[in-house]
Amino acid sequence: MCGCWLLELDVVRKYVSLLMAKDFQQYNPGRYPIPTERVRWFIQATFAKVQTPYVQTIWAEIDDTLHIETELLGDTIDMAE
């Protein structure tokens, strides 16, 4: 392994933090309900610079699948229309 995933983590964290106006930090997924043996890296929002919902947790699997989890958005019927 070349360690290239470290660059991916930094790039994802930088842009998601900028777009969501939140700080994201790398953590151990611990009790988070995902198979930890498949996790390459795991970040969560730590502090909102302004009140914004949306992205709270992001992780990458060892096969480069990126998972992005959001808060519940409630009734999205109006957005779909």
Side-chain angles (χ1 to χ4, degrees):
M1 194 128 209
C2 70
C4 301
W5 65 270
L6 289 174
L7 177 60
E8 288 180 26
L9 168 61
D10 291 340
V11 170
V12 169
R13 183 172 48 211
K14 174 184 173 183
Y15 286 106
V16 171
S17 294
L18 179 67
L19 292 169
M20 295 292 110
K22 296 181 180 184
D23 292 323
F24 283 81
Q25 294 298 318
Q26 185 174 12
Y27 291 100
N28 180 340
R31 294 181 295 173
Y32 205 78
I34 56 176
T36 55
E37 67 276 358
R38 301 224 3 108
V39 174
R40 181 173 289 173
W41 51 259
F42 180 91
I43 59 176
Q44 285 188 305
T46 59
F47 174 73
K49 297 172 188 158
V50 294
Q51 289 296 23
T52 57
Y54 315 120
V55 176
Q56 294 299 316
T57 304
I58 302 172
W59 74 88
E61 287 192 42
I62 56 176
D63 65 357
D64 292 330
T65 301
L66 189 65
H67 298 269
I68 301 173
E69 288 201 0
T70 63
E71 292 180 336
L72 293 175
L73 297 178
D75 184 5
T76 57
I77 253 316
D78 291 334
M79 286 194 278
E81 292 176 357

Coordinates of all heavy atoms in Angstrom, one line a residue:
M1 N 0.8 -1.2 0.0 CA 0.0 0.0 0.0 C 0.9 1.2 0.0 O 1.8 1.3 0.8 CB -0.9 -0.1 1.2 CG -2.0 0.9 1.2 SD -3.5 0.0 1.6 CE -4.5 1.1 0.7
C2 N 0.5 2.2 -0.8 CA 1.4 3.4 -1.0 C 1.1 4.5 0.0 O 1.9 5.5 0.1 CB 1.3 3.9 -2.4 SG -0.3 4.7 -2.7
G3 N 0.0 4.4 0.8 CA -0.3 5.5 1.7 C -1.1 6.6 1.0 O -1.3 7.7 1.6
C4 N -1.5 6.4 -0.3 CA -2.2 7.4 -1.0 C -3.5 7.8 -0.4 O -4.0 8.9 -0.6 CB -2.4 7.0 -2.4 SG -0.9 6.6 -3.3
W5 N -4.1 6.9 0.4 CA -5.4 7.1 1.0 C -5.3 8.3 2.0 O -6.3 8.9 2.2 CB -6.0 5.9 1.6 CG -5.1 5.4 2.8 CD1 -4.1 4.5 2.7 CD2 -5.3 5.7 4.1 NE1 -3.6 4.3 4.0 CE2 -4.3 5.0 4.9 CE3 -6.1 6.5 4.8 CZ2 -4.1 5.1 6.2 CZ3 -6.0 6.7 6.2 CH2 -5.0 6.0 6.9
L6 N -4.2 8.6 2.5 CA -4.0 9.7 3.4 C -4.4 11.0 2.7 O -5.0 11.9 3.2 CB -2.6 9.8 4.0 CG -2.3 8.7 5.0 CD1 -0.9 8.8 5.4 CD2 -3.2 8.8 6.2
L7 N -3.9 11.1 1.4 CA -4.3 12.3 0.6 C -5.8 12.4 0.4 O -6.4 13.4 0.5 CB -3.5 12.3 -0.7 CG -3.8 13.4 -1.6 CD1 -3.5 14.7 -1.0 CD2 -3.1 13.2 -2.9
E8 N -6.4 11.2 0.1 CA -7.8 11.2 -0.1 C -8.6 11.7 1.1 O -9.5 12.5 1.0 CB -8.3 9.8 -0.4 CG -8.0 9.3 -1.8 CD -8.5 7.9 -2.0 OE1 -9.5 7.5 -1.3 OE2 -7.9 7.1 -2.7
L9 N -8.2 11.2 2.3 CA -8.8 11.6 3.5 C -8.7 13.1 3.7 O -9.7 13.8 4.0 CB -8.2 10.9 4.7 CG -8.5 11.4 6.1 CD1 -10.0 11.3 6.4 CD2 -7.7 10.7 7.1
D10 N -7.5 13.7 3.5 CA -7.3 15.1 3.7 C -8.1 15.9 2.7 O -8.7 17.0 3.1 CB -5.8 15.5 3.6 CG -5.0 14.9 4.8 OD1 -5.6 14.6 5.8 OD2 -3.8 14.8 4.6
V11 N -8.2 15.5 1.5 CA -9.0 16.2 0.4 C -10.5 16.1 0.8 O -11.1 17.2 0.7 CB -8.7 15.6 -1.0 CG1 -9.7 16.2 -2.0 CG2 -7.3 15.9 -1.4
V12 N -11.0 15.0 1.1 CA -12.4 14.8 1.4 C -12.7 15.7 2.7 O -13.7 16.4 2.7 CB -12.8 13.4 1.7 CG1 -14.2 13.2 2.3 CG2 -12.7 12.6 0.4
R13 N -11.9 15.6 3.7 CA -12.1 16.4 4.9 C -12.1 17.9 4.6 O -13.0 18.6 5.1 CB -11.1 16.0 6.0 CG -11.4 16.7 7.3 CD -10.5 16.3 8.4 NE -9.1 16.2 8.1 CZ -8.3 15.3 8.6 NH1 -8.7 14.4 9.5 NH2 -7.0 15.3 8.2
K14 N -11.2 18.3 3.8 CA -11.1 19.7 3.5 C -12.3 20.3 2.8 O -12.9 21.3 3.2 CB -9.8 20.0 2.6 CG -9.7 21.4 2.1 CD -8.5 21.5 1.2 CE -8.5 22.9 0.5 NZ -7.4 23.0 -0.4
Y15 N -12.7 19.6 1.8 CA -13.9 20.1 1.0 C -15.2 19.9 1.7 O -16.1 20.8 1.6 CB -13.8 19.5 -0.4 CG -12.7 20.1 -1.3 CD1 -11.6 19.4 -1.6 CD2 -12.8 21.4 -1.7 CE1 -10.6 20.0 -2.3 CE2 -11.8 22.0 -2.4 CZ -10.7 21.3 -2.7 OH -9.7 21.9 -3.4
V16 N -15.4 18.8 2.4 CA -16.7 18.6 3.1 C -16.7 19.6 4.2 O -17.8 20.2 4.5 CB -16.8 17.2 3.6 CG1 -18.0 17.0 4.5 CG2 -16.9 16.2 2.4
S17 N -15.6 19.9 4.9 CA -15.6 20.9 6.0 C -16.0 22.2 5.4 O -16.8 23.0 6.0 CB -14.3 20.9 6.7 OG -14.0 19.7 7.4
L18 N -15.4 22.6 4.3 CA -15.7 23.9 3.6 C -17.2 24.0 3.2 O -17.9 24.9 3.5 CB -14.8 24.0 2.4 CG -14.9 25.3 1.6 CD1 -14.5 26.5 2.5 CD2 -14.1 25.3 0.4
L19 N -17.7 22.9 2.5 CA -19.0 23.0 2.0 C -20.1 22.9 3.1 O -21.2 23.5 3.0 CB -19.2 21.8 1.0 CG -18.5 21.9 -0.3 CD1 -18.5 20.6 -1.1 CD2 -19.0 23.1 -1.1
M20 N -19.9 22.2 4.1 CA -20.8 22.0 5.2 C -20.7 23.0 6.3 O -21.5 23.0 7.3 CB -20.8 20.6 5.8 CG -21.2 19.5 4.8 SD -23.0 19.6 4.4 CE -22.9 20.1 2.7
A21 N -19.6 23.8 6.3 CA -19.3 24.8 7.4 C -19.2 24.1 8.7 O -19.7 24.5 9.7 CB -20.3 25.9 7.4
K22 N -18.5 22.9 8.7 CA -18.3 22.1 9.9 C -16.9 21.6 9.9 O -16.3 21.4 8.9 CB -19.3 20.9 10.0 CG -20.7 21.2 10.0 CD -21.5 19.9 10.1 CE -23.0 20.3 10.1 NZ -23.8 19.1 10.3
D23 N -16.4 21.3 11.1 CA -15.1 20.7 11.2 C -15.3 19.2 11.2 O -16.2 18.7 11.9 CB -14.4 21.1 12.5 CG -14.0 22.6 12.5 OD1 -13.6 23.1 11.4 OD2 -14.1 23.2 13.5
F24 N -14.5 18.5 10.5 CA -14.5 17.0 10.5 C -13.2 16.5 10.9 O -12.2 17.0 10.5 CB -14.8 16.5 9.0 CG -16.3 16.6 8.6 CD1 -16.8 17.8 8.2 CD2 -17.1 15.5 8.7 CE1 -18.1 17.9 7.8 CE2 -18.4 15.6 8.4 CZ -18.9 16.8 7.9
Q25 N -13.2 15.5 11.8 CA -12.0 14.9 12.3 C -12.0 13.4 12.2 O -13.1 12.8 12.2 CB -11.8 15.2 13.8 CG -11.6 16.7 14.1 CD -10.4 17.3 13.4 OE1 -9.3 16.6 13.5 NE2 -10.5 18.4 12.8
Q26 N -10.9 12.8 12.0 CA -10.8 11.4 11.9 C -10.9 10.7 13.3 O -10.4 11.2 14.3 CB -9.4 11.0 11.3 CG -9.3 9.5 11.0 CD -8.0 9.2 10.3 OE1 -7.1 10.0 10.2 NE2 -8.0 8.0 9.8
Y27 N -11.7 9.6 13.3 CA -12.0 8.9 14.5 C -11.9 7.4 14.2 O -11.9 7.0 13.1 CB -13.4 9.2 15.1 CG -13.6 10.6 15.6 CD1 -14.2 11.5 14.9 CD2 -13.1 10.9 16.9 CE1 -14.4 12.8 15.4 CE2 -13.3 12.2 17.4 CZ -13.9 13.1 16.6 OH -14.1 14.4 17.1
N28 N -11.8 6.6 15.3 CA -12.0 5.2 15.2 C -13.5 4.9 15.2 O -14.2 5.5 16.1 CB -11.4 4.5 16.4 CG -11.5 3.0 16.4 OD1 -12.3 2.5 15.7 ND2 -10.6 2.4 17.1
P29 N -14.1 4.2 14.2 CA -15.5 4.0 14.2 C -16.1 3.3 15.5 O -17.3 3.5 15.8 CB -15.8 3.1 13.0 CG -14.4 2.6 12.6 CD -13.4 3.5 13.2
G30 N -15.3 2.6 16.2 CA -15.7 2.1 17.5 C -17.0 1.3 17.4 O -17.1 0.3 16.7
R31 N -18.0 1.8 18.1 CA -19.3 1.1 18.2 C -20.2 1.5 17.0 O -21.4 1.1 17.0 CB -20.0 1.4 19.5 CG -19.2 0.8 20.7 CD -19.9 1.1 22.0 NE -19.9 2.6 22.2 CZ -20.6 3.2 23.2 NH1 -21.3 2.5 24.0 NH2 -20.5 4.5 23.3
Y32 N -19.7 2.3 16.1 CA -20.6 2.7 15.0 C -20.9 1.4 14.2 O -20.1 0.6 14.0 CB -19.8 3.7 14.1 CG -20.7 4.6 13.2 CD1 -21.3 5.7 13.8 CD2 -20.9 4.3 11.9 CE1 -22.1 6.5 13.0 CE2 -21.7 5.1 11.1 CZ -22.3 6.2 11.7 OH -23.1 7.0 10.9
P33 N -22.2 1.3 13.7 CA -22.6 0.0 13.1 C -22.1 -0.2 11.7 O -22.9 -0.3 10.8 CB -24.1 0.1 13.2 CG -24.4 1.6 13.1 CD -23.2 2.3 13.8
I34 N -20.8 -0.4 11.6 CA -20.3 -0.7 10.3 C -19.2 -1.8 10.5 O -18.6 -1.8 11.6 CB -19.6 0.5 9.5 CG1 -18.6 1.2 10.4 CG2 -20.7 1.5 9.1 CD1 -17.9 2.4 9.7
P35 N -18.9 -2.6 9.5 CA -17.8 -3.6 9.7 C -16.4 -3.0 9.7 O -15.9 -2.6 8.7 CB -18.0 -4.5 8.5 CG -18.7 -3.7 7.4 CD -19.5 -2.6 8.2
T36 N -15.9 -2.8 10.9 CA -14.6 -2.1 11.0 C -13.4 -2.7 10.3 O -12.5 -1.9 9.9 CB -14.2 -1.9 12.5 OG1 -14.2 -3.2 13.1 CG2 -15.3 -1.1 13.3
E37 N -13.5 -3.9 10.0 CA -12.4 -4.6 9.2 C -12.4 -4.1 7.8 O -11.4 -4.3 7.1 CB -12.5 -6.1 9.3 CG -13.6 -6.7 8.6 CD -14.9 -6.8 9.4 OE1 -14.9 -6.3 10.6 OE2 -15.9 -7.2 8.8
R38 N -13.4 -3.4 7.3 CA -13.5 -2.9 5.9 C -13.3 -1.4 5.8 O -13.3 -0.8 4.8 CB -14.8 -3.3 5.3 CG -15.1 -4.7 5.3 CD -15.7 -5.3 4.0 NE -15.9 -4.5 2.9 CZ -15.1 -4.5 1.8 NH1 -14.1 -5.3 1.7 NH2 -15.4 -3.8 0.7
V39 N -13.1 -0.8 7.0 CA -13.0 0.7 7.0 C -11.5 1.1 6.8 O -10.6 0.7 7.5 CB -13.5 1.3 8.4 CG1 -13.3 2.8 8.4 CG2 -15.0 0.9 8.5
R40 N -11.3 2.0 5.8 CA -10.0 2.6 5.6 C -9.8 3.8 6.4 O -8.8 4.0 7.1 CB -9.9 2.9 4.1 CG -8.5 3.5 3.8 CD -8.3 3.7 2.3 NE -8.2 2.4 1.7 CZ -8.1 2.2 0.4 NH1 -8.2 3.3 -0.4 NH2 -8.0 1.1 -0.1
W41 N -10.8 4.7 6.4 CA -10.8 5.8 7.4 C -12.2 6.2 7.6 O -13.2 5.9 6.9 CB -10.0 7.0 6.8 CG -10.3 7.5 5.4 CD1 -9.5 7.2 4.3 CD2 -11.3 8.3 5.0 NE1 -10.1 7.8 3.2 CE2 -11.2 8.5 3.6 CE3 -12.4 9.0 5.6 CZ2 -12.0 9.3 2.9 CZ3 -13.2 9.7 4.9 CH2 -13.0 9.9 3.5
F42 N -12.4 7.0 8.7 CA -13.7 7.4 9.3 C -13.6 8.8 9.8 O -12.8 9.0 10.7 CB -14.1 6.3 10.4 CG -15.4 6.5 11.0 CD1 -16.5 5.9 10.5 CD2 -15.5 7.3 12.1 CE1 -17.8 6.1 11.1 CE2 -16.7 7.5 12.8 CZ -17.9 6.8 12.3
I43 N -14.5 9.7 9.4 CA -14.5 11.0 9.9 C -15.9 11.4 10.3 O -16.9 11.0 9.7 CB -13.9 12.1 9.0 CG1 -14.7 12.1 7.6 CG2 -12.4 11.8 8.7 CD1 -14.2 13.2 6.7
Q44 N -16.0 12.3 11.3 CA -17.3 12.8 11.8 C -17.2 14.3 12.1 O -16.1 14.8 12.4 CB -17.7 12.1 13.1 CG -18.2 10.7 12.9 CD -18.8 10.1 14.2 OE1 -18.2 10.1 15.2 NE2 -20.1 9.7 14.1
A45 N -18.3 15.0 11.9 CA -18.4 16.4 12.2 C -18.2 16.6 13.7 O -18.8 15.8 14.5 CB -19.8 17.0 11.8
T46 N -17.4 17.6 14.1 CA -17.2 17.8 15.5 C -17.8 19.2 16.0 O -18.2 19.3 17.1 CB -15.6 17.9 15.8 OG1 -15.1 18.9 15.0 CG2 -15.0 16.6 15.5
F47 N -17.8 20.2 15.1 CA -18.2 21.5 15.6 C -18.8 22.2 14.4 O -18.1 22.3 13.3 CB -17.0 22.3 16.1 CG -17.4 23.7 16.5 CD1 -18.2 24.0 17.6 CD2 -16.9 24.7 15.7 CE1 -18.5 25.3 17.8 CE2 -17.3 26.0 15.9 CZ -18.0 26.3 17.1
A48 N -20.0 22.7 14.5 CA -20.6 23.5 13.4 C -20.3 24.9 13.6 O -20.5 25.5 14.6 CB -22.1 23.3 13.4
K49 N -19.7 25.5 12.5 CA -19.3 26.9 12.5 C -20.6 27.8 12.5 O -20.7 28.8 13.0 CB -18.4 27.3 11.4 CG -17.1 26.6 11.5 CD -16.3 26.8 10.2 CE -15.0 25.9 10.3 NZ -14.5 25.6 9.0
V50 N -21.6 27.2 11.7 CA -22.9 27.8 11.7 C -23.9 26.6 11.7 O -23.5 25.5 11.5 CB -23.2 28.6 10.4 CG1 -22.3 29.8 10.3 CG2 -23.0 27.7 9.1
Q51 N -25.1 26.8 12.0 CA -26.1 25.7 12.1 C -26.4 25.2 10.7 O -27.2 25.8 10.0 CB -27.3 26.1 12.9 CG -27.1 26.3 14.4 CD -26.6 25.0 15.1 OE1 -26.1 24.1 14.5 NE2 -26.8 25.0 16.4
T52 N -25.8 24.1 10.4 CA -26.2 23.4 9.1 C -26.4 21.9 9.4 O -25.7 21.3 10.1 CB -25.0 23.5 8.1 OG1 -23.9 23.0 8.6 CG2 -24.8 25.0 7.6
P53 N -27.5 21.4 8.8 CA -27.7 20.0 8.9 C -26.8 19.2 7.9 O -25.8 19.7 7.5 CB -29.2 19.8 8.7 CG -29.5 21.0 7.8 CD -28.5 22.1 8.1
Y54 N -27.3 18.2 7.4 CA -26.7 17.4 6.3 C -25.6 16.5 6.8 O -25.8 15.7 7.7 CB -26.3 18.3 5.1 CG -27.3 19.3 4.8 CD1 -27.0 20.7 4.8 CD2 -28.6 19.0 4.4 CE1 -27.9 21.6 4.5 CE2 -29.6 19.9 4.1 CZ -29.2 21.3 4.2 OH -30.1 22.2 3.9
V55 N -24.5 16.5 6.2 CA -23.5 15.5 6.4 C -22.9 15.5 7.8 O -22.5 16.5 8.3 CB -22.3 15.7 5.4 CG1 -21.2 14.7 5.6 CG2 -22.8 15.5 3.9
Q56 N -22.9 14.3 8.4 CA -22.4 14.1 9.8 C -21.3 13.1 9.8 O -20.4 13.3 10.6 CB -23.5 13.6 10.7 CG -24.6 14.6 10.9 CD -24.1 15.9 11.5 OE1 -23.3 15.9 12.5 NE2 -24.5 17.0 11.0
T57 N -21.3 12.1 9.0 CA -20.3 11.0 9.1 C -19.9 10.6 7.7 O -20.8 10.4 6.8 CB -20.9 9.8 9.8 OG1 -21.3 10.2 11.1 CG2 -19.9 8.7 10.0
I58 N -18.7 10.4 7.4 CA -18.1 9.9 6.2 C -17.1 8.8 6.4 O -16.3 9.0 7.3 CB -17.5 11.0 5.3 CG1 -18.5 12.2 5.1 CG2 -16.9 10.5 4.0 CD1 -17.9 13.4 4.5
W59 N -17.1 7.7 5.7 CA -16.1 6.8 5.8 C -15.8 6.1 4.4 O -16.7 6.1 3.6 CB -16.3 5.7 6.9 CG -17.4 4.7 6.5 CD1 -17.1 3.5 5.9 CD2 -18.7 4.7 6.8 NE1 -18.3 2.8 5.8 CE2 -19.3 3.5 6.4 CE3 -19.6 5.7 7.4 CZ2 -20.7 3.2 6.5 CZ3 -20.9 5.4 7.6 CH2 -21.4 4.2 7.1
A60 N -14.6 5.7 4.3 CA -14.2 5.0 3.1 C -13.9 3.5 3.4 O -13.2 3.2 4.4 CB -12.9 5.7 2.5
E61 N -14.3 2.6 2.5 CA -14.0 1.2 2.7 C -12.7 0.9 2.0 O -12.2 1.7 1.2 CB -15.1 0.4 2.1 CG -16.4 0.4 2.9 CD -17.4 -0.7 2.4 OE1 -16.9 -1.8 2.1 OE2 -18.6 -0.4 2.4
I62 N -12.2 -0.2 2.2 CA -10.9 -0.6 1.6 C -11.0 -0.8 0.1 O -10.0 -0.7 -0.6 CB -10.3 -1.9 2.3 CG1 -11.3 -3.0 2.2 CG2 -9.9 -1.6 3.7 CD1 -10.8 -4.4 2.7
D63 N -12.2 -0.9 -0.4 CA -12.4 -1.0 -1.9 C -12.7 0.4 -2.5 O -13.2 0.4 -3.6 CB -13.4 -2.0 -2.2 CG -14.8 -1.6 -1.8 OD1 -15.0 -0.6 -1.1 OD2 -15.8 -2.4 -2.0
D64 N -12.4 1.4 -1.8 CA -12.6 2.8 -2.2 C -14.1 3.2 -2.4 O -14.4 4.2 -3.0 CB -11.9 3.1 -3.5 CG -10.4 3.1 -3.4 OD1 -9.9 3.4 -2.2 OD2 -9.7 2.7 -4.3
T65 N -15.0 2.5 -1.7 CA -16.4 2.9 -1.7 C -16.5 4.0 -0.6 O -16.0 3.8 0.5 CB -17.3 1.8 -1.3 OG1 -17.2 0.7 -2.3 CG2 -18.8 2.2 -1.2
L66 N -17.1 5.1 -1.0 CA -17.2 6.3 0.0 C -18.7 6.3 0.5 O -19.6 6.3 -0.3 CB -16.9 7.6 -0.7 CG -16.8 8.8 0.2 CD1 -15.6 8.7 1.2 CD2 -16.6 10.0 -0.7
H67 N -18.8 6.3 1.8 CA -20.2 6.4 2.4 C -20.3 7.7 3.1 O -19.5 8.2 3.8 CB -20.3 5.3 3.5 CG -20.2 3.9 3.0 ND1 -21.3 3.2 2.5 CD2 -19.1 3.1 2.8 CE1 -20.9 2.0 2.1 NE2 -19.6 1.9 2.2
I68 N -21.4 8.4 2.8 CA -21.7 9.7 3.4 C -23.1 9.6 4.0 O -24.1 9.3 3.4 CB -21.8 10.8 2.3 CG1 -20.4 10.8 1.5 CG2 -22.1 12.1 2.9 CD1 -20.4 11.7 0.3
E69 N -23.1 9.8 5.3 CA -24.4 9.8 6.1 C -24.8 11.2 6.5 O -24.0 12.0 6.8 CB -24.2 8.9 7.4 CG -24.1 7.5 7.0 CD -24.4 6.6 8.2 OE1 -24.7 7.1 9.3 OE2 -24.3 5.4 8.0
T70 N -26.1 11.4 6.5 CA -26.7 12.6 6.8 C -27.6 12.5 8.0 O -28.0 11.4 8.4 CB -27.5 13.2 5.7 OG1 -28.6 12.3 5.4 CG2 -26.7 13.3 4.4
E71 N -27.9 13.6 8.6 CA -28.9 13.7 9.6 C -30.3 13.4 8.9 O -30.4 13.5 7.7 CB -29.0 15.0 10.3 CG -27.8 15.4 11.1 CD -28.0 16.8 11.7 OE1 -28.7 17.6 11.2 OE2 -27.3 17.0 12.7
L72 N -31.3 13.1 9.7 CA -32.6 12.9 9.1 C -33.1 14.3 8.6 O -32.9 15.3 9.3 CB -33.6 12.4 10.2 CG -33.3 11.0 10.7 CD1 -34.3 10.7 11.8 CD2 -33.5 10.0 9.6
L73 N -33.6 14.3 7.4 CA -34.0 15.5 6.8 C -35.5 15.8 7.0 O -36.0 16.8 6.5 CB -33.6 15.5 5.3 CG -32.2 15.5 5.0 CD1 -31.9 15.4 3.5 CD2 -31.4 16.7 5.6
G74 N -36.2 14.8 7.5 CA -37.6 15.0 7.7 C -38.4 14.7 6.4 O -38.0 14.0 5.6
D75 N -39.5 15.4 6.3 CA -40.4 15.2 5.1 C -39.7 15.9 3.9 O -39.6 17.1 3.8 CB -41.8 15.8 5.4 CG -42.7 15.6 4.2 OD1 -42.4 14.9 3.3 OD2 -43.8 16.1 4.3
T76 N -39.3 15.1 2.9 CA -38.7 15.6 1.7 C -39.6 15.6 0.5 O -39.1 15.8 -0.6 CB -37.4 14.8 1.4 OG1 -37.8 13.4 1.2 CG2 -36.4 14.9 2.5
I77 N -40.9 15.4 0.7 CA -41.9 15.4 -0.4 C -41.8 16.7 -1.2 O -41.8 16.7 -2.4 CB -43.3 15.1 0.2 CG1 -43.8 13.8 -0.1 CG2 -44.3 16.1 -0.3 CD1 -43.9 12.9 -1.0
D78 N -41.7 17.8 -0.5 CA -41.7 19.1 -1.2 C -40.4 19.3 -2.1 O -40.5 19.8 -3.2 CB -41.8 20.3 -0.2 CG -43.2 20.4 0.4 OD1 -44.1 19.9 -0.2 OD2 -43.3 20.9 1.5
M79 N -39.3 18.7 -1.6 CA -38.1 18.8 -2.3 C -38.2 18.0 -3.6 O -37.6 18.3 -4.6 CB -36.9 18.4 -1.5 CG -36.5 19.4 -0.4 SD -34.9 19.0 0.3 CE -35.3 17.8 1.5
A80 N -38.9 16.8 -3.5 CA -39.0 15.9 -4.6 C -39.9 16.5 -5.7 O -39.6 16.3 -6.9 CB -39.5 14.6 -4.2
E81 N -40.9 17.3 -5.3 CA -41.7 17.9 -6.3 C -41.0 19.0 -7.0 O -41.2 19.2 -8.2 CB -43.0 18.5 -5.6 CG -43.9 17.4 -5.1 CD -45.1 18.0 -4.3 OE1 -45.1 19.2 -4.1 OE2 -45.9 17.2 -3.8

